[in-house]
Amino acid sequence: MTFIDYSNEEKSNKSSATKEEKATTTLPEDASQWGYDMYPERKGTSSGPYKKSRSITDYLSGKGRDNIDKIRCERNVYKCVKESPLVKLMMGALRSSGCGLDIRRHIACEECAPQVSGGYDPIMNQVIVCHNTAKNEGIVQGVLTHELIHMFDYCRNDLDFKNLDHLACTEIRAANLAHCSFMSAWMSGNASVFNIKETHQDCVKSKALSSVLAARSGISKTEAINAIERVFPKCYPDLEPIGRRLRRNSYDMYKAYEEGYYYGYDIP
C-alpha cells in the first residue's frame, strides 16, 4: 500500500538524499483521501509533524503497551534486514540505483489501522511496518518486500503517486512480486491446475485493487479497476528487481537473491 506524494518538484535526481530534500512534512488538507487516516502516527501533532500524542487514559486502557509491540517489530525488521534474501535483495537493488537505505531513517514501526499491515510514505520516503498487525517475522518480511518495491519504483521510475495509473502500476508490481502465488490461490479455493496463469493474474489484480482503494479513498471502484486494466499489460511482466514470481514453499527467493549479483546489485 502507498500514500500520495505531495512534492511538486521534478524527480530529476535519483539519489535518496535528493528525494528527502524534495519531501515536504506538510500533510495534505484532506489526509483521509490519500490513506493517511490508516496511519494515525503520520498525522499527529505532538513533538513533530508525524508524532501522535497519547493521553493518560490511553495508557490506563492498555494502549501504552504498544511500545512492547514496537520493540518486537523493530527486532523483526532488523532480523529481516540481516537474514531475509528478499529484503537484502531489495536493499541491494536500491543501493545500486543510487537510493541507499538506512533502516533507522527509512523504516518505521508504527501503530496503524487494523486493516493494514504496512505502507510507503513518499513524502518522507519511508516504509511503515504496522507493529499492531505485523506481529511476526514472516509478515514483516512480506511487508518490507512489498513496500520496498514501491520505494524502488519511486527511486527508479519517476513514479508520481498522484497519477492513478502510476499508483496502479506499482501496486500491480508489488502484488505480483511479493504476494500472489499459485499455492495461496489454491488454498483459498480459487485455483485449479487448468488455470494457473489466469488465477495468478486475478490474484494480482485483486490485491492491487484493494491497495489502490485503500490509498485513494476519493475514487470509485470502477475508476480503480479501469486504471489497473489500462496498465496491467505493461506492469505485470515487469519483474525487476526480484526477477521472478515467487512460488510458495519453494527456493525461489534464494534463487532471486543469488541472481541479483548477475544484475550488478550491491547485495550484502
Side-chain angles (χ1 to χ4, degrees), residues 231-242:
V231 302
F232 195 82
K234 178 179 180 180
C235 301
Y236 181 72
D238 183 359
L239 304 180
E240 191 177 8
I242 292 176

Side-chain angles (χ1 to χ4, degrees), residues 33-149:
Q33 180 180 356
W34 309 103
Y36 281 94
D37 56 328
M38 295 189 183
Y39 304 86
E41 294 191 33
R42 301 270 124 180
K43 59 177 184 176
T45 57
S46 173
S47 68
Y50 292 158
K51 298 296 183 183
K52 181 180 65 172
S53 61
R54 285 198 181 278
S55 67
I56 187 65
T57 306
D58 289 334
Y59 286 100
L60 291 175
S61 65
K63 291 185 179 180
R65 290 175 57 85
D66 62 2
N67 282 337
I68 298 173
D69 288 338
K70 182 173 183 178
I71 292 170
R72 183 183 297 113
C73 172
E74 290 172 345
R75 287 175 177 170
N76 284 330
V77 167
Y78 182 77
K79 189 171 182 180
C80 287
V81 166
K82 291 297 183 181
E83 299 180 5
S84 167
L86 286 178
V87 175
K88 292 198 293 184
L89 172 62
M90 290 304 307
M91 293 180 65
L94 282 161
R95 275 194 299 270
S96 299
S97 301
C99 299
L101 187 148
D102 182 338
I103 63 172
R104 296 166 298 180
R105 163 64 183 86
H106 296 106
I107 302 176
C109 288
E110 297 180 2
E111 183 180 358
C112 312
Q115 62 265 43
V116 296
S117 55
Y120 173 60
D121 183 351
I123 292 178
M124 295 296 290
N125 190 29
Q126 194 170 55
V127 168
I128 303 102
V129 181
C130 301
H131 60 65
N132 56 311
T133 54
K135 292 194 172 184
N136 63 58
E137 183 183 343
I139 297 175
V140 170
Q141 176 183 244
V143 169
L144 289 175
T145 304
H146 181 115
E147 306 306 338
L148 289 175
I149 289 169

Side-chain angles (χ1 to χ4, degrees), residues 169-242:
C169 185
T170 192
E171 294 296 357
I172 287 169
R173 283 180 23 78
N176 191 16
L177 294 171
H179 290 284
C180 293
S181 70
F182 172 70
M183 184 57 68
S184 62
W186 177 279
M187 294 178 68
S188 64
N190 297 322
S192 76
V193 294
F194 303 106
N195 67 344
I196 295 175
K197 180 178 179 181
E198 291 79 7
T199 297
H200 188 270
Q201 293 184 6
D202 289 344
C203 173
V204 170
K205 290 179 180 180
S206 176
K207 175 65 178 175
L209 176 62
S210 64
S211 295
V212 169
L213 290 175
R216 295 286 292 272
S217 61
I219 66 169
S220 69
K221 184 176 180 179
T222 299
E223 289 175 301
I225 291 173
N226 289 340
I228 290 168
E229 293 294 343
R230 277 196 303 271
V231 302
F232 195 82
K234 178 179 180 180
C235 301
Y236 181 72
D238 183 359
L239 304 180
E240 191 177 8
I242 292 176

